[in-house]
């Protein structure tokens, strides 16, 4: 701020200030179904919302794994080009089954600014 003359004709000196913006970490804001949810419909889509845009230029979908005990339901993984990933079951999930959603640190997921997402594991159980 440039110095100015105050009402009483005194000169107020230039003032300089600075601040640092804290970097937003690359994390999950929300996941549906929620961790430890029960009674989840067998056709429910898994939706993950991130704090930053995903670097889709290097993501290929193998970063996301959904596994259920002794069942094989394939999922199609898509993202909106921004911060949301949706995993749609190709066939209905098995009833009364616990599923785990993994985002692996082996096939790391990165944000556009190069931040790596830490390993994530949540679980839910389908309806009876």
């Amino acid at each position: 701020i440039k110095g100015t003359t105050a009402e009483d004709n005194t000169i107020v000196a230039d003032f300089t200030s600075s601040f640092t913006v804290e970097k937003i970490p690359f994390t999950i804001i929300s996941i549906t179904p929620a961790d430890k949810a029960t009674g989840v419909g067998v056709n429910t889509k898994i939706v993950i919302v991130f704090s930053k845009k995903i670097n889709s230029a290097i993501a290929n979908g193998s970063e996301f794994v959904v596994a259920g005990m002794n069942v094989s339901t394939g999922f199609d993984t898509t993202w909106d080009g921004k911060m949301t990933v949706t995993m749609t079951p190709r066939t209905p999930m098995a009833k009364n089954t616990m599923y785990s959603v993994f985002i692996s640190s082996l096939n790391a997921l990165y944000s556009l600014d190069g931040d790596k997402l830490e390993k994530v594991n949540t679980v839910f159980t389908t309806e009876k």
Side-chain angles (χ1 to χ4, degrees):
I1 300 174
K2 281 297 213 186
T4 59
T5 304
E7 287 182 22
D8 64 357
N9 288 331
T10 58
I11 297 177
V12 180
D14 290 354
F15 175 76
T16 303
S17 178
S18 64
F19 60 92
T20 303
V21 177
E22 188 173 324
K23 188 174 181 182
I24 298 171
F26 186 36
T27 60
I28 291 178
I29 294 174
S30 68
I31 185 166
T32 306
D35 189 29
K36 299 179 183 72
T38 59
V40 174
V42 295
N43 291 306
T44 298
K45 294 178 181 183
I46 299 165
V47 179
I48 305 171
V49 179
F50 297 89
S51 61
K52 295 181 178 186
K53 290 183 180 180
I54 298 167
N55 188 340
S56 57
I58 60 174
N60 60 24
S62 68
E63 301 85 2
F64 304 94
V65 177
V66 180
M69 189 64 134
N70 299 320
V71 296
S72 59
T73 301
F75 287 81
D76 293 319
T77 302
T78 58
W79 47 83
D80 65 357
K82 297 178 185 172
M83 300 185 306
T84 303
V85 169
T86 303
M87 292 178 280
T88 305
R90 291 184 191 126
T91 59
M93 293 178 278
K95 288 189 174 194
N96 200 29
T97 301
M98 181 180 283
Y99 283 82
S100 293
V101 179
F102 298 99
I103 301 177
S104 173
S105 57
L106 297 175
N107 297 322
L109 189 65
Y110 290 89
S111 66
L112 276 179
D113 61 359
D115 287 348
K116 179 180 174 182
L117 185 74
E118 294 303 316
K119 178 181 167 182
V120 174
N121 181 24
T122 66
V123 296
F124 64 89
T125 303
T126 53
E127 63 196 356
K128 294 183 179 186

